[in-house]
Amino acid sequence: VQLQASGGGLVQAGGSLLLSCATSGSIFSRNVMGWYRQAPGKEREMVAIITGVGSVSTTSYADSVKGRFTVSRDNAKNTMYLQMNSLKPEDTAVYYCNLREIRAGGMAYWGRGTQVTVSS
C-alpha cells in the first residue's frame, strides 16, 4: 500500500489550498484515513480524520481547524482530500496522510508529506 500526498505550496494568509492523498494497493475496506501535520520543532498532530465503511463516513477535526478545513474521500478514486480555507500562518507545516485498517492486526500506512507554507 502506498499513499501519495500532493497539493501543498505557498499561499498568503486567508488563502486556500486543496490537498490530495492518492492510495494504491490492496486496502481493507474498513479503514480510517487522516491528515496530520508537523511544524518545525513541534510534534506531529492530527488535523482531520475520516472513516470509510462502505458509503458511510464520519469526520473529526482538530479544534484549530474546525470551520476552516474540510476532509473528504472518494472511495472510487481511492483518494482523500483536505480543503483548507482561511489559512493562517500557524497552519504552516508538512502535511501527511495516514491510513489505518480497522481489523485485528490491521496495518497503518503513512504517505510522504507535502509542505504547506502560509505567509502573513
Side-chain angles (χ1 to χ4, degrees):
V1 174
Q2 290 188 329
L3 281 68
Q4 180 65 52
S6 61
L10 173 64
V11 63
Q12 289 188 332
S16 298
L17 282 174
L18 175 65
L19 303 184
S20 298
C21 176
T23 66
S24 61
S26 179
I27 300 171
F28 187 61
S29 59
R30 294 178 63 90
N31 59 69
V32 175
M33 295 190 72
W35 290 98
Y36 294 74
R37 66 186 181 187
Q38 187 166 18
K42 295 187 177 181
E43 294 187 352
R44 190 172 297 188
E45 63 176 359
M46 185 275 288
V47 176
I49 59 175
I50 182 167
T51 64
V53 181
S55 61
V56 178
S57 295
T58 58
T59 59
S60 180
Y61 297 91
D63 288 343
S64 59
V65 306
K66 281 181 181 177
R68 299 188 298 122
F69 291 10
T70 303
V71 61
S72 61
R73 59 190 293 171
D74 185 336
N75 291 330
K77 296 182 178 179
N78 295 322
T79 302
M80 174 181 62
Y81 305 95
L82 185 67
Q83 177 65 48
M84 305 187 295
N85 299 327
S86 303
L87 282 161
K88 304 175 181 179
E90 51 264 44
D91 294 318
T92 295
V94 178
Y95 283 70
Y96 299 89
C97 56
N98 170 270
L99 183 148
R100 177 166 52 86
E101 297 176 331
I102 304 174
R103 61 174 173 173
M107 301 294 291
Y109 305 94
W110 288 95
R112 298 181 66 177
T114 184
Q115 176 72 47
V116 172
T117 303
V118 184
S119 63
S120 57

